[in-house]
Amino acid sequence: MRFAILIKATPTSEAGGTPDAKILEAMGKFNEELAAAGIMLSGEGLQSSSKGARVTFSGDKRTVHDGPFAETKELVAGFWIWQCKSLDEAIAWVKRCPNPFNEESEIEIRQVFELEDFGDEVTHKLRESEERLRAELAARKPN
């Protein structure tokens, strides 16, 4: 099963601060361990919310809200997508993670939906379309 591992923002990350060399080195080593264990599928750090936007939906109406956003502790500063056997395995790996910031921080673990989770709502045609799209995306090389 796949999990999204969400690194929560801090006041420093929202102010545009970046990790120091010691944290970057520790995270690089941790990422290598994740990759070697076949756990890490992808992962990226995110810039502060001041460089982002939100789009809210109300029926057919779309409203864009420019960042920065309040409630720093609810924002995401980075993420991984991991393949783990269970939530317990994901928790065990997160416990091994270096603190991503030089301050109190938090990492949230969320299981990713798989097509099977939607039951009969996924038609044969939709399943084929989804599998074709995933194959196309997997074949792309990063820029």
Side-chain angles (χ1 to χ4, degrees), residues 2-17:
R2 293 180 300 154
F3 291 91
I5 311 301
L6 308 172
I7 301 168
K8 296 300 190 86
T10 66
T12 302
S13 69
E14 275 299 291

Side-chain angles (χ1 to χ4, degrees), residues 33-49:
E33 291 175 23
L34 290 167
I39 299 293
M40 183 174 166
L41 301 176
S42 66
E44 301 292 342
L46 303 176
Q47 300 233 2
S48 72
S49 68

Side-chain angles (χ1 to χ4, degrees), residues 1 11 48 56 67 73 85 89 96 117 119 122-123 143:
M1 56 187 67
S48 72
T56 56
K73 66 181 182 182
K85 293 176 184 142
E89 182 181 26
R96 295 174 54 182
D117 296 323
V122 179
T123 64
N143 294 329

Side-chain angles (χ1 to χ4, degrees), residues 114-132:
E114 304 295 347
L115 275 180
E116 296 74 28
D117 296 323
F118 297 100
D120 293 339
E121 297 299 320
V122 179
T123 64
H124 179 72
K125 182 179 177 182
L126 183 57
R127 179 175 302 281
E128 284 183 348
S129 176
E130 185 70 19
E131 289 171 353
R132 179 184 41 76

Side-chain angles (χ1 to χ4, degrees), residues 47-66:
Q47 300 233 2
S48 72
S49 68
S50 66
K51 296 182 177 180
R54 286 183 176 157
V55 179
T56 56
F57 296 76
S58 179
D60 291 336
K61 184 179 177 187
R62 311 298 189 254
T63 305
V64 176
H65 307 274
D66 293 327

Side-chain angles (χ1 to χ4, degrees), residues 60-113:
D60 291 336
K61 184 179 177 187
R62 311 298 189 254
T63 305
V64 176
H65 307 274
D66 293 327
F69 307 116
E71 299 298 327
T72 298
K73 66 181 182 182
E74 299 301 323
L75 299 173
V76 176
F79 69 91
W80 286 284
I81 300 295
W82 291 354
Q83 181 75 45
C84 295
K85 293 176 184 142
S86 65
L87 175 61
D88 287 342
E89 182 181 26
I91 291 170
W93 276 100
V94 169
K95 285 182 169 180
R96 295 174 54 182
C97 179
N99 185 346
F101 300 103
N102 284 326
E103 58 194 303
E104 187 171 317
S105 64
E106 181 178 69
I107 295 178
E108 181 175 324
I109 304 167
R110 304 277 299 273
Q111 187 171 349
V112 174
F113 273 116

